[in-house]
């Protein structure tokens, strides 16, 4: 079940990494965005949008689906990261959040999508000219 946002933030704050071992197409989800925001390395599979927040080898690792051995190796790798690698992960993660996942960016994308939907609806609606 879902956990409250405050508990999730606390868990991420104390985590070494976020592991997302998806085997099917997954959409981008809030937990991953929060992990990027907190600068936590992400180890995920190449199933869907989750890998959008990962730069392989910099902010975590992307592993092939259904390859448990690869996931295990990548988990061990992250545990060996030194302070410089963790600092680089945090800096690049902040940049990813600002470019892709900030409220400003997401709101602009929603506005663009809604504007396109309104324009499409206007162009397909039938209008009666009544004089």
């Amino acid at each position: 079940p879902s956990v409250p946002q405050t508990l999730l933030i606390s868990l991420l704050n104390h985590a070494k990494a976020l592991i997302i071992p998806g085997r099917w197409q997954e959409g981008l989800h809030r937990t991953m965005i929060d992990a990027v925001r907190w600068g936590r390395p992400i180890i995920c599979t190449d199933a869907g949008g989750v890998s959008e927040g990962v730069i392989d080898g910099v902010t975590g690792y992307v592993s092939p689906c259904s390859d448990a051995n690869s996931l295990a190796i990548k988990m061990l790798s992250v545990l060996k990261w030194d302070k410089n690698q963790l600092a680089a992960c945090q800096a690049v993660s902040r940049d990813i959040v600002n470019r892709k996942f900030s409220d400003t960016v997401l709101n602009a994308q929603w506005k663009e999508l809604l504007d396109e939907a309104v324009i499409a609806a206007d162009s397909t609606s039938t209008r009666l000219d009544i004089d």
Side-chain angles (χ1 to χ4, degrees), residues 41-60:
I42 297 170
I43 303 162
C44 66
T45 62
D46 55 5
V50 175
S51 62
E52 273 189 61
V54 181
I55 298 173
D56 200 51
V58 178
T59 62

Side-chain angles (χ1 to χ4, degrees), residues 20-95:
I20 308 171
R23 292 176 57 198
W24 297 276
Q25 289 291 334
E26 284 191 51
L28 187 63
H29 53 74
R30 188 71 203 192
T31 304
M32 191 279 308
I33 294 172
D34 287 334
V36 175
R37 181 172 284 117
W38 282 90
R40 296 297 175 258
I42 297 170
I43 303 162
C44 66
T45 62
D46 55 5
V50 175
S51 62
E52 273 189 61
V54 181
I55 298 173
D56 200 51
V58 178
T59 62
Y61 295 103
V62 179
S63 192
C65 286
S66 300
D67 189 344
N69 189 52
S70 175
L71 279 171
I73 289 168
K74 290 170 194 284
M75 285 188 268
L76 290 172
S77 294
V78 165
L79 291 175
K80 294 176 186 175
W81 281 12
D82 62 22
K83 289 180 183 180
N84 292 333
Q85 286 171 296
L86 290 170
C89 174
Q90 291 172 345
V92 173
S93 292
R94 272 192 300 275
D95 182 58

